[in-house]
Amino acid sequence: MTSFSKKAQELATLCDVQVGIIIFSSEEMILWPSEPHVKQIVERYFSFPELERMNKLVRNVEHHEKMVEDQEESIRKIEQKNEDKKMELLFNEVVKGKNIYELDVGELRGLTKLFALKKAQVEERKKQLHEHNQSIEGSDNNAQEKDGGHPKI
């Protein structure tokens, strides 16, 4: 109960809210921090209209669902990064001579995706270099036209 009450006190301080704990067991009922304090919190809670209480409850649930979704998305991204790193390492092992017949279906699929990604990156880089070369050739041609068509020596 001590760590539980400590966390409740931290929550009350951090969020600037009133916190009370009610624990029911077959032998006893525990109220924290004190019975009068907990009764005051419960009475205050029930003094609000039911619609307002339900509205706050729904917002709280929605907030927690959003937090869970965000955490799940974060986990998915981390798992994807881990998988990508595994495939990079496997790719390096294959380049160093690892026999592809030793790989399972999942590893082969992962490598196939990695090869496709690497191929697309190489194609994009080739396109950028080609465009860069054309711009250099174009600026050289413009310089020659200004010099009367004679290339600089």
Side-chain angles (χ1 to χ4, degrees):
M1 177 66 186
T2 309
S3 64
F4 196 56
S5 60
K6 185 176 179 182
K7 291 293 181 189
Q9 184 61 44
E10 289 174 4
L11 179 66
T13 303
L14 290 172
C15 299
D16 192 28
V17 295
Q18 291 185 347
V19 176
I21 301 174
I22 304 172
I23 300 175
F24 293 101
S25 72
S26 57
E27 297 88 34
E28 63 181 328
M29 179 172 70
I30 300 171
L31 301 170
W32 180 90
S34 66
E35 185 175 338
H37 185 77
V38 173
K39 282 184 177 180
Q40 177 190 11
I41 292 171
V42 171
E43 287 171 0
R44 184 170 178 264
Y45 173 76
F46 282 111
S47 71
F48 289 104
E50 185 176 355
L51 183 60
E52 187 175 340
R53 290 190 315 240
M54 294 304 292
N55 191 21
K56 287 183 180 186
L57 179 66
V58 168
R59 278 189 264 150
N60 192 23
V61 168
E62 289 170 351
H63 172 71
H64 287 288
E65 286 174 347
K66 175 74 170 115
M67 286 176 50
V68 168
E69 287 174 11
D70 291 347
Q71 287 295 320
E72 287 173 345
E73 181 62 27
S74 176
I75 289 168
R76 276 191 293 274
K77 287 179 181 179
I78 290 169
E79 287 173 341
Q80 184 59 49
K81 281 184 180 181
N82 285 341
E83 188 62 29
D84 293 347
K85 291 290 182 189
K86 280 185 197 175
M87 286 304 112
E88 288 281 346
L89 291 171
L90 187 59
F91 175 79
N92 290 337
E93 289 176 13
V94 170
V95 168
K96 290 179 182 176
K98 182 172 182 166
N99 190 339
I100 61 170
Y101 295 111
E102 297 173 17
L103 305 178
D104 64 28
V105 174
E107 291 171 329
L108 289 171
R109 285 186 181 139
L111 282 177
T112 302
K113 288 179 185 177
L114 181 62
F115 290 145
L117 176 65
K118 294 291 183 188
K119 182 180 176 186
Q121 289 173 342
V122 167
E123 293 299 324
E124 180 62 28
R125 184 68 181 137
K126 282 172 55 177
K127 179 182 169 187
Q128 291 171 352
L129 288 171
H130 180 71
E131 291 171 358
H132 180 71
N133 287 340
Q134 284 183 335
S135 68
I136 290 174
E137 289 173 2
S139 64
D140 285 346
N141 289 340
N142 289 340
Q144 286 179 4
E145 288 175 8
K146 289 180 183 177
D147 291 338
H150 302 290
K152 291 183 181 179
I153 300 177

